[in-house]
Amino acid sequence: MITIALSKGRIFEETLPLLKAAGITTPEDPETSRKLILPTNRADVRLIIVRASDVPTYVQYGAADLGVAGKDVLNEHGGVGLYQPLDLNIARCRMMVAVRNDFDYDSAVRQGARLRVATKYVQTARDHFAAKGVHVDLIKLYGSMELAPLVGLSDAIVDLVSSGGTLKANNLKAVEHIADISSRLVVNQAALKLKHAAIQPMLDAFARAVAK
Ligand code: ATP
Ligand code: MG
Protein backbone atom coordinates (compact mmCIF):
# COMPACT_ATOMS: atom_id res chain seq x y z
CA MET A 1 0.00 0.00 0.00
CA ILE A 2 1.21 3.50 -0.88
CA THR A 3 -0.16 6.25 1.38
CA ILE A 4 -0.11 9.87 0.20
CA ALA A 5 -0.65 12.67 2.75
CA LEU A 6 -2.44 15.80 1.56
CA SER A 7 -4.10 18.75 3.26
CA LYS A 8 -7.57 20.03 2.43
CA GLY A 9 -8.05 23.20 0.44
CA ARG A 10 -5.65 24.56 -2.13
CA ILE A 11 -3.05 21.81 -1.80
CA PHE A 12 -5.63 19.09 -2.35
CA GLU A 13 -7.22 20.94 -5.27
CA GLU A 14 -3.93 21.75 -6.95
CA THR A 15 -2.53 18.25 -6.39
CA LEU A 16 -5.55 16.47 -7.92
CA PRO A 17 -4.54 17.20 -11.54
CA LEU A 18 -1.02 15.96 -10.83
CA LEU A 19 -2.39 12.76 -9.28
CA LYS A 20 -4.64 12.36 -12.28
CA ALA A 21 -1.67 12.65 -14.60
CA ALA A 22 -0.06 9.87 -12.55
CA GLY A 23 -3.19 7.75 -13.10
CA ILE A 24 -4.59 8.25 -9.59
CA THR A 25 -8.14 9.52 -8.96
CA THR A 26 -10.42 9.52 -5.93
CA PRO A 27 -14.22 9.44 -5.83
CA GLU A 28 -14.22 11.36 -2.51
CA ASP A 29 -14.21 15.11 -1.97
CA PRO A 30 -12.47 15.97 1.32
CA GLU A 31 -14.39 19.27 1.51
CA THR A 32 -17.68 17.41 1.93
CA SER A 33 -16.62 13.94 3.05
CA ARG A 34 -15.70 13.43 6.68
CA LYS A 35 -13.40 10.57 5.80
CA LEU A 36 -9.75 11.04 6.62
CA ILE A 37 -8.62 8.06 4.56
CA LEU A 38 -9.71 8.29 0.95
CA PRO A 39 -9.57 5.33 -1.40
CA THR A 40 -8.38 5.81 -4.97
CA ASN A 41 -9.00 4.03 -8.25
CA ARG A 42 -5.84 2.06 -7.47
CA ALA A 43 -6.26 -0.64 -4.83
CA ASP A 44 -2.64 -0.11 -3.74
CA VAL A 45 -2.87 3.70 -3.28
CA ARG A 46 -4.77 5.67 -0.65
CA LEU A 47 -4.86 9.33 0.35
CA ILE A 48 -4.91 10.62 3.91
CA ILE A 49 -6.14 14.10 4.84
CA VAL A 50 -4.10 15.90 7.52
CA ARG A 51 -3.41 19.47 8.62
CA ALA A 52 -0.99 21.22 6.23
CA SER A 53 1.61 21.59 8.97
CA ASP A 54 1.31 17.89 9.91
CA VAL A 55 2.16 16.51 6.44
CA PRO A 56 5.96 16.38 7.04
CA THR A 57 5.43 14.59 10.36
CA TYR A 58 3.29 11.83 8.84
CA VAL A 59 5.87 11.30 6.10
CA GLN A 60 8.87 11.54 8.42
CA TYR A 61 7.54 8.70 10.57
CA GLY A 62 6.48 6.61 7.58
CA ALA A 63 2.75 6.79 8.37
CA ALA A 64 2.55 8.21 4.85
CA ASP A 65 5.01 7.31 2.10
CA LEU A 66 4.56 10.54 0.16
CA GLY A 67 3.06 13.92 0.84
CA VAL A 68 2.64 17.41 -0.50
CA ALA A 69 3.77 20.24 1.76
CA GLY A 70 4.45 23.94 1.37
CA LYS A 71 8.06 25.10 1.60
CA ASP A 72 6.88 27.28 4.51
CA VAL A 73 5.84 24.20 6.45
CA LEU A 74 8.99 22.29 5.46
CA ASN A 75 11.23 25.13 6.65
CA GLU A 76 9.53 25.03 10.05
CA HIS A 77 9.67 21.24 10.24
CA GLY A 78 13.34 21.06 9.26
CA GLY A 79 12.95 18.25 6.73
CA VAL A 80 14.42 15.47 8.90
CA GLY A 81 13.90 12.04 7.26
CA LEU A 82 12.35 13.57 4.17
CA TYR A 83 13.49 13.35 0.60
CA GLN A 84 12.28 16.39 -1.36
CA PRO A 85 12.65 15.39 -5.01
CA LEU A 86 10.27 17.78 -6.71
CA ASP A 87 8.97 21.33 -6.60
CA LEU A 88 5.35 20.92 -7.73
CA ASN A 89 5.05 24.65 -8.41
CA ILE A 90 1.60 24.79 -6.83
CA ALA A 91 0.21 26.92 -3.95
CA ARG A 92 2.69 29.63 -4.86
CA CYS A 93 3.01 32.64 -2.59
CA ARG A 94 5.67 34.67 -0.77
CA MET A 95 6.85 34.73 2.83
CA MET A 96 6.88 38.41 3.81
CA VAL A 97 7.39 40.76 6.72
CA ALA A 98 4.44 43.14 7.06
CA VAL A 99 3.65 46.07 9.34
CA ARG A 100 0.92 48.65 9.78
CA ASN A 101 0.77 51.29 7.04
CA ASP A 102 1.76 53.96 9.56
CA PHE A 103 4.72 52.03 11.03
CA ASP A 104 8.18 53.21 9.96
CA TYR A 105 9.86 49.83 9.66
CA ASP A 106 13.13 51.07 8.14
CA SER A 107 13.82 53.51 10.92
CA ALA A 108 12.80 51.02 13.62
CA VAL A 109 15.34 48.58 12.17
CA ARG A 110 17.96 51.31 11.71
CA GLN A 111 17.60 52.43 15.32
CA GLY A 112 18.20 48.87 16.47
CA ALA A 113 14.93 48.80 18.41
CA ARG A 114 13.78 45.36 19.57
CA LEU A 115 11.02 44.40 17.20
CA ARG A 116 7.99 42.41 18.34
CA VAL A 117 7.11 39.94 15.61
CA ALA A 118 4.01 37.75 15.64
CA THR A 119 3.95 34.69 13.41
CA LYS A 120 3.02 31.09 12.88
CA TYR A 121 6.49 30.70 11.28
CA VAL A 122 8.72 31.12 14.32
CA GLN A 123 11.74 29.28 12.89
CA THR A 124 11.60 31.13 9.58
CA ALA A 125 11.26 34.48 11.37
CA ARG A 126 14.09 33.71 13.80
CA ASP A 127 16.43 32.75 10.95
CA HIS A 128 15.48 35.78 8.86
CA PHE A 129 16.01 38.39 11.57
CA ALA A 130 19.14 36.70 12.92
CA ALA A 131 20.68 36.87 9.44
CA LYS A 132 19.90 40.61 9.36
CA GLY A 133 21.21 41.15 12.89
CA VAL A 134 17.82 42.50 14.02
CA HIS A 135 16.80 41.68 17.59
CA VAL A 136 13.27 40.37 17.80
CA ASP A 137 10.83 39.07 20.36
CA LEU A 138 8.84 36.36 18.63
CA ILE A 139 5.21 35.74 19.50
CA LYS A 140 3.81 32.43 18.28
CA LEU A 141 0.35 32.56 16.70
CA TYR A 142 -1.69 29.87 14.96
CA GLY A 143 -3.63 32.04 12.51
CA SER A 144 -5.02 35.49 11.63
CA MET A 145 -1.58 37.05 11.97
CA GLU A 146 -2.85 40.22 10.27
CA LEU A 147 -4.69 41.15 13.43
CA ALA A 148 -1.61 41.31 15.66
CA PRO A 149 -0.20 44.72 14.60
CA LEU A 150 -3.70 46.26 14.53
CA VAL A 151 -4.35 45.60 18.20
CA GLY A 152 -0.83 46.21 19.50
CA LEU A 153 0.22 42.60 19.96
CA SER A 154 3.23 43.12 17.69
CA ASP A 155 5.06 45.64 15.48
CA ALA A 156 5.37 43.23 12.58
CA ILE A 157 4.17 39.88 11.30
CA VAL A 158 5.83 37.21 9.19
CA ASP A 159 3.19 35.64 6.98
CA LEU A 160 2.39 34.29 3.55
CA VAL A 161 1.16 36.77 0.98
CA SER A 162 -0.23 36.00 -2.45
CA SER A 163 -2.32 38.85 -3.87
CA GLY A 164 -1.75 41.21 -0.96
CA GLY A 165 -5.51 41.70 -0.66
CA THR A 166 -5.69 40.67 3.00
CA LEU A 167 -2.84 43.01 3.94
CA LYS A 168 -4.49 45.87 2.10
CA ALA A 169 -7.91 45.21 3.65
CA ASN A 170 -6.30 45.46 7.10
CA ASN A 171 -4.16 48.59 6.49
CA LEU A 172 -0.94 46.62 6.45
CA LYS A 173 2.00 46.81 4.05
CA ALA A 174 4.65 44.28 3.10
CA VAL A 175 8.13 45.59 3.90
CA GLU A 176 10.39 42.61 3.26
CA HIS A 177 10.39 39.55 1.07
CA ILE A 178 11.80 36.52 2.89
CA ALA A 179 11.27 33.69 0.40
CA ASP A 180 9.26 32.45 -2.56
CA ILE A 181 7.05 29.58 -1.45
CA SER A 182 5.54 26.68 -3.35
CA SER A 183 4.57 23.14 -2.48
CA ARG A 184 7.00 20.24 -2.69
CA LEU A 185 6.60 16.53 -3.02
CA VAL A 186 8.08 14.87 0.07
CA VAL A 187 8.95 11.20 0.31
CA ASN A 188 9.85 9.05 3.28
CA GLN A 189 13.50 8.07 2.72
CA ALA A 190 13.08 4.46 3.87
CA ALA A 191 9.88 3.98 1.84
CA LEU A 192 11.65 5.21 -1.28
CA LYS A 193 14.13 2.35 -0.90
CA LEU A 194 11.71 -0.36 0.28
CA LYS A 195 8.87 0.49 -2.12
CA HIS A 196 11.01 1.80 -4.94
CA ALA A 197 9.21 -0.19 -7.66
CA ALA A 198 5.88 1.42 -6.76
CA ILE A 199 7.06 4.91 -5.80
CA GLN A 200 9.60 5.74 -8.52
CA PRO A 201 7.05 5.56 -11.40
CA MET A 202 4.81 7.93 -9.42
CA LEU A 203 7.67 10.39 -8.95
CA ASP A 204 8.43 10.20 -12.67
CA ALA A 205 4.76 10.79 -13.54
CA PHE A 206 4.58 13.80 -11.20
CA ALA A 207 7.77 15.21 -12.69
CA ARG A 208 6.36 14.86 -16.22
CA ALA A 209 3.06 16.47 -15.17
CA VAL A 210 4.87 19.43 -13.56
CA ALA A 211 7.12 19.95 -16.59
CA LYS A 212 4.09 20.26 -18.91
P1 ATP B 1 -4.49 25.22 8.66
O1 ATP B 1 -5.64 25.94 8.01
O2 ATP B 1 -4.70 23.73 8.78
O3 ATP B 1 -3.93 25.88 9.85
P2 ATP B 1 -2.92 26.43 6.67
O4 ATP B 1 -3.70 27.66 6.91
O5 ATP B 1 -1.43 26.51 6.65
O6 ATP B 1 -3.28 25.26 7.64
P3 ATP B 1 -3.68 26.51 3.97
O7 ATP B 1 -4.13 27.90 4.17
O8 ATP B 1 -4.53 25.57 3.18
O9 ATP B 1 -3.41 25.78 5.32
O10 ATP B 1 -2.24 26.54 3.34
C1 ATP B 1 -1.62 25.36 2.95
C2 ATP B 1 -0.35 25.73 2.24
O11 ATP B 1 -0.66 26.49 1.07
C3 ATP B 1 0.59 26.59 3.06
O12 ATP B 1 1.45 25.80 3.85
C4 ATP B 1 1.33 27.36 1.99
O13 ATP B 1 2.40 26.60 1.48
C5 ATP B 1 0.27 27.53 0.91
N1 ATP B 1 -0.42 28.82 1.01
C6 ATP B 1 -0.89 29.42 2.13
N2 ATP B 1 -1.47 30.59 1.85
C7 ATP B 1 -1.37 30.75 0.52
C8 ATP B 1 -1.81 31.75 -0.39
N3 ATP B 1 -2.42 32.84 0.02
N4 ATP B 1 -1.58 31.56 -1.71
C9 ATP B 1 -0.97 30.46 -2.14
N5 ATP B 1 -0.52 29.48 -1.33
C10 ATP B 1 -0.71 29.61 -0.03
MG1 MG C 1 -5.73 28.06 6.50
Side-chain angles (χ1 to χ4, degrees), residues 11 22 33 35 41 53 68 83 95 160 182 198 212:
I11 290 201
S33 166
K35 286 189 196 168
N41 61 315
S53 46
V68 176
Y83 173 54
M95 187 69 75
L160 295 174
S182 58
K212 260 200 256 170

Side-chain angles (χ1 to χ4, degrees), residues 4 6 11-26 40-42 45 47 201-202 205-206 208-210 212:
I4 304 175
L6 299 174
I11 290 201
F12 187 86
E13 280 151 28
E14 296 187 35
T15 302
L16 270 190
L18 300 173
L19 285 173
K20 195 165 177 218
I24 299 165
T25 57
T26 179
T40 71
N41 61 315
R42 275 180 53 176
V45 180
L47 310 180
M202 280 185 196
F206 282 131
R208 280 194 302 274
V210 171
K212 260 200 256 170

